[in-house]
Amino acid sequence: MSTSFTITPVEKGVMRCRHTAAFQPSDVQSLANFLNNYRGKLLIDLTGSTSEECSRHLQQFRPMMPITAIFGADIDPAILEISESYYAHPVRYFKSEAEALNWLHNQ
């Protein structure tokens, strides 16, 4: 059985999480474990995904995300907003991978 995402290195300190299929309950748990333990920067690649498909999961995982740049699907950046009651890392949406990586390099 394949997972709904892949995690691969981009460069030192940056990992790419690419959405590849619909999330299954085991995938949600696996990704939550990764986010709770990962201390680097994250590049989320939603290429080929739809905003509806990703929005709920992005909101769910938002409090756990490290410094994260998201690109690849047309999402509403408002879904990334979070209550000030959380200690949260910056998470931003970008139109392109180049913009996302540039922002990550400056964090």
Side-chain angles (χ1 to χ4, degrees):
M1 177 186 232
S2 64
T3 62
S4 60
F5 63 93
T6 59
I7 297 177
T8 56
V10 175
E11 58 192 41
K12 184 177 170 78
V14 179
M15 296 294 279
R16 175 189 309 266
C17 180
R18 184 162 178 4
H19 182 255
T20 56
F23 271 87
Q24 302 301 316
S26 61
D27 297 327
V28 172
Q29 184 176 13
S30 178
L31 187 54
N33 287 335
F34 170 77
L35 292 173
N36 280 324
N37 294 310
Y38 181 61
R39 298 293 172 249
K41 297 176 185 178
L42 190 61
L43 179 68
I44 297 181
D45 182 351
L46 302 177
T47 304
S49 304
T50 64
S51 59
E52 299 81 30
E53 182 176 26
C54 298
S55 294
R56 182 172 55 90
H57 293 294
L58 288 171
Q59 284 181 309
Q60 176 185 0
F61 289 123
R62 174 61 180 96
M64 295 179 255
M65 289 181 183
I67 296 171
T68 303
I70 302 169
F71 77 98
D74 192 21
I75 63 166
D76 180 356
I79 68 168
L80 301 175
E81 293 174 10
I82 193 167
S83 166
E84 290 183 19
S85 65
Y86 285 101
Y87 171 76
H89 298 283
V91 174
R92 302 285 183 272
Y93 168 75
F94 298 91
K95 293 287 186 187
S96 73
E97 181 175 1
E99 291 172 304
L101 280 170
N102 185 54
W103 179 80
L104 281 175
H105 291 146
N106 292 309
Q107 294 305 300

